[in-house]
Amino acid sequence: MRDKINIFYIILGIGIGIILTSLIFTLKPKIKYVDYSDDEIIKKAKELGMVSVKEKIELNETIPNSFAFFIISSSL
């Protein structure tokens, strides 16, 4: 009987904690919205390794097909 009461209070405490936490974050969220321009997004993506379609096409034209396939497939 005593174990059932303890489990009830544990579940009740977790539920109250979830409700209070959701209320706190609903009333005062800490989300910072930043507007990025297209140039900033492209610059950051290139820093992370993005390659544009035009660069891929130029790469395929300058390198023989079998070697280009090896480079492209190994980069994935």
Side-chain angles (χ1 to χ4, degrees):
M1 179 77 174
R2 193 166 172 90
D3 290 335
K4 289 183 181 180
I5 294 173
N6 287 339
I7 292 173
F8 173 75
Y9 286 122
I10 290 173
I11 293 173
L12 180 65
I14 291 171
I16 291 172
I18 290 172
I19 291 171
L20 288 177
T21 304
S22 65
L23 285 174
I24 290 170
F25 282 110
T26 301
L27 297 175
K28 188 158 180 149
K30 287 190 173 188
I31 298 173
K32 184 178 178 184
Y33 294 102
V34 179
D35 291 330
Y36 291 107
S37 68
D38 289 341
D39 294 331
E40 291 172 332
I41 294 171
I42 292 171
K43 181 181 175 186
K44 184 65 176 177
K46 286 188 178 188
E47 289 175 7
L48 295 174
M50 182 189 86
V51 179
S52 69
V53 175
K54 290 180 182 179
E55 292 173 5
K56 274 294 195 201
I57 292 172
E58 291 172 2
L59 178 69
N60 286 338
E61 290 175 354
T62 57
I63 300 175
N65 288 337
S66 61
F67 188 63
F69 177 74
F70 173 73
I71 291 174
I72 293 170
S73 62
S74 65
S75 67
L76 299 175

